[in-house]
Amino acid sequence: MQFASKIHEAADLEAAVEYCYQQRWTDGLPVVPPTPGAVERIVSYLGRAPEEVVGVVAPRNGIATIEKIAINCVMAGCKPEYVPIVIAALEAMLQERFNLNGVQATTNPCAPLAIISGPAVGTIGFNTKENAFGHGCRANAAVGRAIRLILWNIGGGYPGDPCKTTLGQPGYYSFCVAEDAATNPWEPLHVEAGFRPDDTVVTVVATGAPSMIQSGAGSRPAEDVLYVLARSIAVLGSSNFNGGDMVLVLGPMAARNLADAGLSKADVKRELMRLATVSVRDAKRRHSI
């Protein structure tokens, strides 16, 4: 298989890793050297031409070919079967409404969060249980890291120039979660969006770091849980206050509590919107209106 990328030789594995650092091909963590054999295994698995263009990645406007995507996926530690998920996430981020150029260059510490839903969650082995946003699962970590390396190496999303985020957050290294269909009392996220139940779908949202809410779902009635959630959402100084996208992730106990009270997912959204209000007096103290 013929590749367009230049091949660099290194004396050993350690030298190859250090060379990647020297060339600024890594975001700060070590990478797996993308050998031609490893890249070829991914391209062969995809059954697509290495030179096929998936899109142009802002802000550097680098050309994301199948070959370049495969290289970054190898560097992130992806198995070949992870790569279609990475490509789907990239295609979603390249849509105009995602505003990737803005996400890559903003002062706001928002990073693309990939949410996987559908059958591949189980077949690939994404973690949906304890520590769902944390460490310990190769699929979650490698897919999230591959997305970041693509934004880094192809899109040029380097800190300082052009990325102006003032504080940043750990999600810039890897930010990928999966929906737990087994404990979800409502329709899955991808079905809600209009896809078939047997589809595997990647939803991408540029969002800040997770903030934990202690809702007391195991002992409180549903109306109290909703009130605590809403008060935690409507916090002065948070990005939620200025509008925009927000991701609310419910643990199985909270979701079951609300569902058992007869609330649909749409009902929960409506109640949270109603309850998550801020007084004009408080808003004026923040000089927001």
Side-chain angles (χ1 to χ4, degrees):
M1 186 176 291
Q2 291 295 115
F3 293 129
S5 302
K6 184 178 178 181
I7 296 178
H8 303 265
E9 295 187 2
D12 52 30
L13 177 60
E14 182 179 354
V17 171
E18 288 301 321
Y19 188 77
C20 290
Y21 275 116
Q22 294 166 13
Q23 300 303 310
R24 207 184 186 187
W25 293 336
T26 170
D27 53 1
L29 293 174
V31 294
V32 178
T35 61
V39 175
E40 183 171 346
R41 280 192 290 275
I42 287 179
V43 176
S44 297
Y45 176 86
L46 296 174
R48 300 167 71 169
E51 67 274 14
E52 179 187 341
V53 175
V54 174
V56 178
V57 186
R60 191 172 67 182
N61 294 330
I63 307 300
T65 63
I66 291 295
E67 176 184 339
K68 297 295 186 183
I69 292 169
I71 289 172
N72 283 277
C73 286
V74 171
M75 294 170 74
C78 287
K79 293 182 178 181
E81 56 266 35
Y82 299 175
V83 181
I85 300 289
V86 176
I87 293 174
L90 176 59
E91 290 173 335
M93 291 187 294
L94 293 179
Q95 293 186 33
E96 184 177 356
R97 60 180 175 169
F98 186 81
N99 186 24
L100 182 58
N101 187 74
V103 171
Q104 287 265 68
T106 182
T107 58
N108 191 304
C110 61
L113 168 65
I115 307 170
I116 321 301
S117 55
V121 171
T123 57
I124 289 179
F126 287 94
N127 175 36
T128 63
K129 304 299 182 183
E130 292 81 8
N131 204 35
F133 273 86
H135 58 301
C137 177
R138 179 177 180 178
N140 295 56
V143 167
R145 182 100 195 280
I147 293 169
R148 171 51 51 192
L149 289 178
I150 288 168
L151 297 180
W152 177 276
N153 286 317
I154 303 178
Y158 308 133
D161 183 20
C163 178
K164 298 297 184 181
T165 179
T166 50
L167 295 177
Q169 50 130 323
Y172 279 95
Y173 283 110
S174 179
F175 215 12
C176 176
V177 295
E179 187 175 35
D180 186 1
T183 60
N184 183 4
W186 299 303
E187 70 276 17
L189 181 61
H190 65 290
V191 173
E192 183 186 5
F195 294 91
R196 299 190 309 269
D198 58 349
D199 287 331
T200 291
V201 174
V202 183
T203 302
V204 183
V205 184
T207 183
S211 178
M212 186 184 71
I213 302 174
Q214 298 186 35
S215 66
S219 57
R220 294 180 179 177
E223 56 266 27
D224 288 354
V225 173
L226 288 170
Y227 179 77
V228 172
L229 292 176
R231 294 296 294 172
S232 301
I233 290 170
V235 177
L236 293 177
S238 74
S239 296
N240 303 331
F241 190 80
N242 291 333
D245 296 323
M246 187 199 71
V247 177
L248 176 64
V249 179
L250 296 176
M253 190 177 294
R256 176 49 59 190
N257 182 320
L258 298 175
D260 286 348
L263 297 170
S264 67
K265 191 187 292 188
D267 293 333
V268 172
K269 291 180 181 181
R270 280 192 294 268
E271 277 301 289
L272 289 178
M273 290 177 64
R274 183 180 69 84
L275 294 169
T277 58
V278 176
S279 69
V280 173
R281 181 184 63 183
D282 285 343
K284 285 184 175 180
R285 287 177 62 89
R286 189 183 180 274
H287 307 290
S288 296
I289 61 174

